[in-house]
Amino acid sequence: NAGVMQNPRHLVRRRGQEARLRCSPMKGHSHVYWYRQLPEEGLKFMVYLQKENIIDESGMPKERFSAEFPKEGPSILRIQQVVRGDSAAYFCASSPLDTDSGNTIYFGEGSWLTVV
Amino acid sequence: GNSVTQMEGPVTLSEEAFLTINCTYTATGYPSLFWYVQYPGEGLQLLLKATKADDKGSNKGFEATYRKETTSFHLEKGSVQVSDSAVYFCALRWGFKTIFGAGTRLFVKA
């Protein structure tokens, strides 16, 4: 059973370019979460999606960031016009259910974005 | 709102020493509690979890007990190894959102 798959693992972008990070959840999981980890910091919740729906985006910056989870294909986290402060590790996680608190979320290996 | 507070690191121990990493939480209702471990350059791996008060989660020699009266979920291991060097995150889950502590870095010296 493949785990949560993220790509690319490492991405370098110049300031002003766009970054696209992809996440395929574990088989059987229909709920996806994105977290950001700044250097030497903890994980900050960004967004929670189900297929074709954004359920909670309270942690997403208001500008330049967007996320989607289409009916077919992986979830995408898109960062437009990147700035140096966007340099971080972006982690995707998935779970099979949303309201059952006992359910664990499982993480991918992360995508490390470096903005130069 | 819900929150998780962990002891600050880094924690440096010698091999075979006893480990405690403190974690306390604030939550409405009865969340599930988790410990995750992150090795350098990798994602977070679930270490153990507990879903209700007085539950003890355990894995690979690590254990933690869900203490409702003290709102704590301290991580312990009786004898650490060099390979345990990593960052440990305490987390709570209530509804769909999982909230993480800031993480505690552990260094184990041979």
Side-chain angles (χ1 to χ4, degrees):
Chain A
N1 190 14
V4 179
M5 304 301 291
Q6 288 188 249
N7 68 84
R9 289 294 313 279
H10 299 276
L11 181 63
V12 179
R13 284 286 177 268
R14 296 187 185 281
R15 281 177 293 171
Q17 291 185 319
E18 179 179 286
R20 282 192 182 220
L21 310 177
R22 288 175 290 278
C23 170
S24 296
M26 283 180 74
K27 188 176 180 181
H29 289 190
S30 57
H31 302 263
V32 165
Y33 314 79
W34 285 94
Y35 287 80
R36 177 164 64 175
Q37 185 179 36
L38 294 170
E40 301 302 317
E41 293 189 16
L43 278 81
K44 301 298 183 188
F45 169 81
M46 299 182 75
V47 62
Y48 162 50
L49 310 104
Q50 296 176 23
K51 284 281 186 183
E52 300 184 280
N53 284 305
I54 297 174
I55 307 303
D56 183 336
E57 56 182 348
S58 58
M60 289 276 272
K62 293 286 185 277
E63 298 176 346
R64 301 187 298 107
F65 285 71
S66 62
E68 63 176 10
F69 189 16
K71 187 176 179 182
E72 300 292 336
S75 175
I76 307 285
L77 180 67
R78 183 180 176 208
I79 311 172
Q80 295 177 287
Q81 299 174 318
V82 296
V83 301
R84 289 230 170 97
D86 296 333
S87 297
Y90 292 84
F91 289 97
C92 174
S94 72
S95 73
L97 290 171
D98 58 351
T99 57
D100 181 349
S101 290
N103 265 303
T104 306
I105 62 171
Y106 296 89
F107 283 86
E109 297 271 297
S111 291
W112 268 258
L113 172 65
T114 302
V115 179
V116 298
Chain B
N2 297 343
S3 66
V4 177
T5 303
Q6 288 181 237
M7 64 185 286
E8 284 193 27
V11 173
T12 302
L13 296 172
S14 297
E15 211 166 20
E16 299 183 6
F18 185 86
L19 167 71
T20 301
I21 300 178
N22 289 341
C23 171
T24 58
Y25 67 91
T26 303
T28 52
Y30 303 99
S32 293
L33 302 174
F34 303 82
W35 278 100
Y36 285 83
V37 59
Q38 184 180 32
Y39 298 100
E42 298 185 11
L44 276 72
Q45 302 173 25
L46 176 68
L47 183 59
L48 53 85
K49 72 176 187 181
T51 58
K52 61 183 187 296
D54 300 324
D55 267 4
K56 178 186 283 189
S58 60
N59 185 26
K60 299 180 183 178
F62 291 90
E63 58 182 35
T65 302
Y66 190 142
R67 302 282 188 203
K68 183 167 169 285
E69 64 276 12
T70 54
T71 61
S72 65
F73 193 55
H74 305 321
L75 182 68
E76 296 181 337
K77 186 175 185 182
S79 176
V80 293
Q81 306 300 312
V82 172
S83 57
D84 293 327
S85 297
V87 181
Y88 292 82
F89 291 93
C90 185
L92 71 81
R93 181 170 172 85
W94 176 244
F96 65 80
K97 194 173 285 189
T98 302
I99 297 168
F100 290 85
T104 303
R105 185 175 294 278
L106 170 66
F107 291 107
V108 180
K109 302 180 297 185

